Amino acid sequence: VLPEQSAEPVEFDREAPVASLQKLVQCKTISYNDPSMEDEEEFRKLIRLLPELFPRVFDVCSFQELPGRALLLRWPGKSESAPTVLMAHYDVVPVNEENWEKPPFSAVIADGCLWGRGTLDTKVTFNAILTAANHLIGQGWQPEKDIYFAFSGGEEVNGKGAVNIVDYFEEKGITPAI
């Protein structure tokens, strides 16, 4: 049994994560099994938003795009060995918009909920990871070991983004912590 610990309150801008998630949800990053049906500009729009939404992350972390809509960021720690990898995906499945109570890409807030495609699977995780890092970087915090943020824009169709990130790690001799 772990000893009881008291947590200190964390001060942060509670509206910023909601606003950034709204902007991410408004990007129609819909993956289809037929790539010709995808709107590449919507994926590019989301990627272009990231430095605006998470400026401290982009000041400190290296950023690269790998094939298959893979995004990889490295937050340098005090050590490169056994880094942590945090993952999410930023694509969504197709939607029959007329069946939605609220428009799926409007990111409207109603009844205390943010409505939209990706709010649960997994733009919310994508947003949470980058929001937390942006906050901690702003506090001057540096991780003990490197942290990689590995994001896929094709998870919903079993795209190759995650595979390409794994291949990159293998090529560079990066062995994440288990």
Side-chain angles (χ1 to χ4, degrees):
V1 175
L2 296 174
E4 189 174 318
Q5 297 179 350
S6 63
E8 294 179 30
V10 175
E11 296 294 325
F12 69 97
D13 179 355
R14 295 181 182 278
E15 298 302 318
V18 175
S20 59
L21 182 57
Q22 284 179 293
K23 289 181 180 179
L24 296 172
V25 167
Q26 291 166 349
C27 297
K28 294 182 178 183
T29 53
I30 303 169
S31 287
Y32 292 91
N33 287 321
D34 177 357
S36 71
M37 296 175 66
E38 296 174 345
D39 186 345
E40 184 61 28
E41 181 50 34
E42 290 293 320
F43 287 89
R44 301 306 314 157
K45 180 171 83 172
L46 182 139
I47 294 166
R48 284 192 305 268
L49 274 172
L50 298 179
E52 171 192 322
L53 298 176
F54 311 104
R56 294 180 189 118
V57 169
F58 281 80
D59 285 345
V60 170
C61 300
S62 62
F63 171 73
Q64 57 188 314
E65 293 184 54
L66 299 173
R69 291 197 180 117
L71 307 178
L72 185 62
L73 293 97
R74 177 182 161 259
W75 184 2
K78 296 173 187 169
S79 167
E80 292 180 7
S81 67
T84 295
V85 180
L86 301 176
M87 300 174 282
H89 65 88
Y90 59 96
D91 64 320
V92 298
V93 296
V95 59
N96 190 344
E97 293 192 33
E98 56 272 2
N99 291 338
W100 277 59
E101 261 183 64
K102 311 276 190 252
F105 297 101
S106 66
V108 67
I109 297 176
D111 303 319
C113 295
L114 193 150
W115 290 72
R117 193 55 121 191
T119 56
L120 299 177
D121 181 19
T122 67
K123 286 183 182 179
V124 68
T125 306
F126 181 81
N127 184 59
I129 290 168
L130 293 173
T131 296
N134 204 61
H135 175 76
L136 289 169
I137 290 167
Q139 300 295 309
W141 190 78
Q142 181 184 20
E144 288 300 315
K145 297 183 179 203
D146 287 357
I147 299 175
Y148 284 89
F149 308 130
F151 304 127
S152 171
E155 185 273 345
E156 296 291 4
V157 293
N158 296 318
K160 298 292 184 199
V163 171
N164 291 327
I165 291 170
V166 169
D167 290 346
Y168 175 86
F169 283 175
E170 288 176 353
E171 289 168 15
K172 300 294 182 186
I174 300 165
T175 305
I178 297 176

